[in-house]
Amino acid sequence: MIRLEAIDRSFQVGGEWVHALRQVSLEIPAGDYVAIMGPSGSGKSTLLNMIGLLDRPDRGRYLLGGIDTAGLSEEGRADLRRDKIGFVFQSFHLIPRLTAAENVELPLVLAGIDPHERKARVADLLRQLNLSDRARHRPDQLSGGQRQRVAIARALAMRPAVLLADEPTGNLDLTSGREVVETLEGMNEKGISLLVVTHDPAIGGRARRRIRMVDGLAEEGA
Amino acid sequence: MRTADLFGFGLKALGGARLRTALMLLAMTIGVAAVVMLTALGEGARRYVVESFSDLGTHLLIVLPGRSETTGAAPPIMGETPRDLTLDDALALARGRDVEFVAPLMIGSAPASNGGRQRDLTVIGSTWELLPVRHLRLRQGGFLPKGDADRASPVVVLGEKTLKELFGNQSPLGAWIRLGDRRFRVIGVLEPLGQSVGTDFSDIAIIPVASAQALFNTSSLFRILVQAKGREAIPKAREFILDTIRARHEGEDDVTVIAQDALLSTFDGILRALTYTVGAIAAVSLAVAGILIMNVMLVAVSQRTQEIGLLKALGATQPQVLGLFLAESALLSILGAISGVLVAQGVIWGVARAYPAFPIAAPLWAPIAAVAVAITSGLLFGWLPARRASRLDPVLALAGG
Ligand SMILES: Nc1ncnc2c1ncn2[C@@H]1O[C@H](COP(=O)(O)OP(=O)(O)OP(=O)(O)O)[C@@H](O)[C@H]1O
Ligand SMILES: [Mg+2]
């Protein structure tokens, strides 16, 4: 499903080169559940952005669902991202002026899906995430856990193959954090690949597989 | 992405920043309203002048004594003075094939009295043809009798103001008044015409031209009004007038012929140009509104950087992001343009009610051009912020910078 071959990515910061990813090779089959851990600045977010097609490698090959992403145009990458990838962020990134339902609907709007179909899918997603009674609330009228569940519903709207979650519980208290993790795991059980970046060993321990990042290098296990 | 959704998203974004949106709409509204109102004023002035001139009579040629044009032909003979226009000249002109009416015109001033009431009047000597040529209408009685222009009948037609001053509320028809040292019988009263360019016809007395010749003791006419048989007949009528007068004045071209239509179209052209100019100057305010939109949209792009990053993470392409922000600018300029046209129409309506005599009206092209310029300016100036948004790096944008 996801296949990284010797990916390099470095950034120039004040004249010096920071190697965020060094020779990272990974293979993640469909339906896998992977926790990505490691110290701050070790390249976890960079790896997730790479997999989510928000960033391009300096060197190396990235295949997503058998497609070599190097050959894709900017537009092709956007389309692939829209159809295959769902993002969940630490800070939710909900649009404040839109209601919960409208935030969930946004990817479907961008994809040009028929409004009737959209309404049905949004209602279904909100029901799955126990948010039906919050559909017309704006983000500032929701708790942190509810906001993150709205964000998860939005990530699921296009029925992606991969969910990428960058510290999804980072801004949440213990209880709502646990709830969010369980929600994500529920989606993984339905066959969606789940990649979670986390500092929390308790959450990392629940994953089927752990990848440890240190200074741009990725190592399996532990 | 569907067009309806594109504008729906834009509307919600505009609704999310009410004050900013209101200010931009205001700027667009003022710009569009200025264009429409100023061109309406210019058009009103044009119509006012054109209508006033039309009151003077259509297809009208005015014959004045004396040359005003030089043709570069034979140099003028020393000491030449122009011959007077006479009633016989006027009668000769009436024989032209392209001539409909000829009205000779004498103008003088004479003391008028009716019993104890006395007043100095402008007295016009003419024939019955003055009535159709100058589009005069009668309120009471009749006009100068048809027939021999040489007959000096002692009859007078009064203007409306003259009537009031000489008669008050008395009935004037059949009464005798004195003009100078002669007595005239009142046979008609003119309908007030409103102020028309030229003479004020409410403040006068009209008598037969032969009577005027006797009253003022002169045979020279002030001018001759000739109405051609139609618009196309004007050049031929003009030629006929010049030929006839030359023949009668021993080969001298000693009159000037002014065509009413030429005068009218000159004024028409000048005022049209003025309207375009004023409209174009007002259109500058639309460019200013466009620049305001650009600035405010640039602020919006930097305030909504994270949102743009999110849109890209959700799979929005560069053209989509560009379209979303352009749609916002377009909405601003379209809504501003609509409200500008409405405001302008409201003001024009108000002015029209307050000053019914002034024919203010926006020419049809004005709102269309104003709206087109407004939308073009919105899209043009919205382009830069929209392009900036579409080119943001998604990772950096999500991080908020
Ligand atoms: N756009 C960028 N420009 C410059 N340097 C960058 C950029 N993105 C990442 N870096 C650098 O690359 C390295 C890896 O960053 P990354 O965000 O992947 O770390 P991380 O493991 O997610 O850290 P954290 O746990 O703090 O989120 C860091 O040193 C960071 O400063
Ligand atoms: Mg990170």
Side-chain angles (χ1 to χ4, degrees):
Chain A
M1 177 73 221
I2 292 170
R3 191 180 160 84
L4 303 181
E5 296 174 3
I7 299 281
D8 274 336
R9 179 71 169 111
S10 38
F11 300 99
Q12 201 170 14
V13 184
E16 278 197 38
W17 286 94
V18 177
H19 295 273
L21 297 177
R22 304 171 195 255
Q23 294 290 305
V24 173
S25 296
L26 269 181
E27 180 137 16
I28 300 170
D32 210 351
Y33 177 10
V34 184
I36 302 168
M37 306 187 66
S40 188
S42 57
K44 305 183 294 295
S45 297
T46 307
L47 177 63
L48 221 60
N49 291 335
M50 194 65 66
I51 293 172
L53 294 165
L54 288 177
D55 203 355
R56 284 170 183 275
D58 297 332
R59 265 176 303 279
R61 236 154 65 98
Y62 170 28
L63 291 94
L64 177 60
I67 301 165
D68 188 344
T69 60
L72 292 175
S73 65
E74 200 52 52
E75 212 151 315
R77 290 160 60 84
D79 287 347
L80 199 57
R81 192 186 310 141
R82 185 189 69 198
D83 296 335
K84 292 261 194 295
I85 311 276
F87 278 101
V88 178
F89 306 96
Q90 176 175 355
S91 53
F92 322 131
H93 282 309
L94 298 177
I95 296 183
R97 59 179 180 274
L98 302 183
T99 63
E102 286 166 343
N103 269 289
V104 175
E105 193 184 10
L106 194 51
L108 305 173
V109 170
L110 289 171
I113 288 170
D114 174 81
H116 284 292
E117 162 96 19
R118 278 179 352 213
K119 296 285 174 258
R121 275 213 223 173
V122 169
D124 188 44
L125 284 161
L126 291 173
R127 198 174 319 115
Q128 277 186 54
L129 290 152
N130 282 323
L131 286 164
S132 297
D133 53 341
R134 296 285 182 272
R136 304 173 70 84
H137 291 221
R138 275 177 226 289
D140 57 8
Q141 300 164 325
L142 298 172
S143 73
Q146 287 168 336
R147 288 185 209 179
Q148 195 59 302
R149 295 215 307 278
V150 172
I152 293 171
R154 179 181 64 193
L156 293 169
M158 288 297 290
R159 296 172 182 152
V162 184
L163 264 185
L164 303 175
D166 197 343
E167 300 186 36
T169 61
N171 284 0
L172 301 177
D173 60 53
L174 221 60
T175 343
S176 21
R178 149 104 36 53
E179 233 173 61
V180 161
V181 169
E182 279 166 4
T183 307
L184 290 171
E185 287 172 350
M187 297 305 146
N188 175 246
E189 272 153 32
K190 291 181 187 165
I192 301 176
S193 311
L194 177 61
L195 278 74
V196 184
V197 170
T198 182
H199 284 292
D200 184 348
I203 295 172
R206 299 165 68 107
R208 196 168 310 141
R209 219 177 127 186
R210 271 159 299 280
I211 290 168
R212 191 167 174 77
M213 296 288 305
V214 179
D215 204 12
L217 294 167
E219 50 190 74
E220 197 77 32
Chain B
M1 195 165 177
R2 291 154 174 264
T3 315
D5 292 327
L6 198 70
F7 286 104
F9 189 85
L11 271 181
K12 280 182 200 142
L14 293 177
R18 294 254 162 80
L19 182 65
R20 194 195 295 165
T21 303
L23 284 174
M24 284 197 282
L25 284 179
L26 186 65
M28 259 307 165
T29 302
I30 290 172
V32 171
V35 171
V36 176
M37 287 186 314
L38 288 176
T39 47
L41 273 178
E43 175 72 4
R46 187 185 73 80
R47 286 195 194 180
Y48 182 73
V49 169
V50 168
E51 279 170 21
S52 303
F53 268 97
S54 302
D55 283 350
L56 277 181
T58 41
H59 322 316
L60 191 62
L61 292 149
I62 303 169
V63 187
L64 323 171
R67 286 275 300 272
S68 71
E69 304 155 68
T70 43
T71 52
I77 302 152
M78 292 286 288
E80 183 200 6
T81 50
R83 265 172 210 71
D84 290 337
L85 282 172
T86 62
L87 187 53
D88 287 337
D89 289 333
L91 294 176
L93 293 182
R95 288 192 285 272
R97 260 194 301 127
D98 300 296
V99 172
E100 178 103 52
F101 296 116
V102 172
L105 215 58
M106 287 189 82
I107 291 190
S109 165
S113 60
N114 171 35
R117 302 173 201 251
Q118 195 159 352
R119 169 170 164 73
D120 268 334
L121 277 191
T122 304
V123 177
I124 291 182
S126 190
T127 61
W128 66 272
E129 283 151 304
L130 186 65
L131 189 76
V133 168
R134 289 299 305 263
H135 300 288
L136 301 177
R137 275 197 311 267
L138 289 161
R139 169 191 286 183
Q140 280 178 298
F143 199 63
L144 302 179
K146 292 192 184 183
D148 199 348
D150 286 327
R151 262 194 65 197
S153 355
V155 292
V156 62
V157 176
L158 297 179
E160 191 236 356
K161 216 160 124 194
T162 318
L163 170 74
K164 273 206 200 104
E165 280 164 351
L166 291 181
F167 286 91
N169 292 326
Q170 284 170 265
S171 167
L173 289 188
W176 290 80
I177 61 168
R178 288 196 80 86
L179 285 176
D181 54 355
R182 284 151 198 272
R183 278 157 48 84
F184 290 83
R185 191 164 52 87
V186 178
I187 55 166
V189 179
L190 292 174
E191 187 85 50
L193 261 185
Q195 186 72 41
S196 71
V197 174
T199 328
D200 177 359
F201 271 87
S202 69
D203 206 6
I204 52 155
I206 302 174
I207 58 176
V209 63
S211 310
Q213 284 178 327
L215 182 64
F216 299 128
N217 194 24
T218 172
S219 65
S220 64
L221 297 177
F222 174 58
R223 52 193 57 174
I224 303 173
L225 305 179
V226 178
Q227 184 173 320
K229 281 201 166 132
R231 204 187 172 85
E232 317 73 49
I234 290 172
K236 277 197 218 149
R238 179 198 195 90
E239 210 166 304
F240 170 78
I241 292 168
L242 290 171
D243 289 346
T244 309
I245 299 291
R246 191 186 304 118
R248 295 180 52 82
H249 290 192
E250 287 136 23
E252 301 290 346
D253 275 319
D254 58 1
V255 293
T256 301
V257 180
I258 299 171
Q260 191 69 59
D261 281 26
L263 212 62
L264 189 60
S265 66
T266 306
F267 271 107
D268 191 51
I270 291 171
L271 288 165
R272 249 180 229 282
L274 197 72
T275 303
Y276 290 138
T277 313
V278 168
I281 291 170
V284 170
S285 65
L286 288 176
V288 173
I291 291 170
L292 188 72
I293 286 187
M294 177 169 74
N295 279 303
V296 172
M297 288 307 291
L298 281 173
V299 171
V301 168
S302 69
Q303 282 180 349
R304 282 155 63 189
T305 302
Q306 293 206 348
E307 175 186 325
I308 295 161
L310 170 79
L311 288 171
K312 293 197 162 189
L314 296 180
T317 59
Q318 280 198 12
Q320 271 183 337
V321 175
L322 185 87
L324 283 171
F325 279 83
L326 265 188
E328 278 183 41
S329 306
L331 276 170
L332 281 173
S333 47
I334 291 169
L335 295 177
I338 290 171
S339 85
V341 168
L342 292 180
V343 166
Q345 291 300 348
V347 171
I348 289 167
W349 183 82
V351 171
R353 299 218 54 185
Y355 305 97
F358 187 68
I360 186 171
L364 183 67
W365 59 263
I368 295 173
V371 169
V373 173
I375 293 172
T376 311
S377 138
L379 288 179
L380 218 60
F381 288 105
W383 184 263
L384 182 79
R387 206 181 63 145
R388 180 171 293 183
S390 75
R391 293 195 167 180
L392 285 178
D393 175 74
V395 175
L396 293 178
L398 275 168

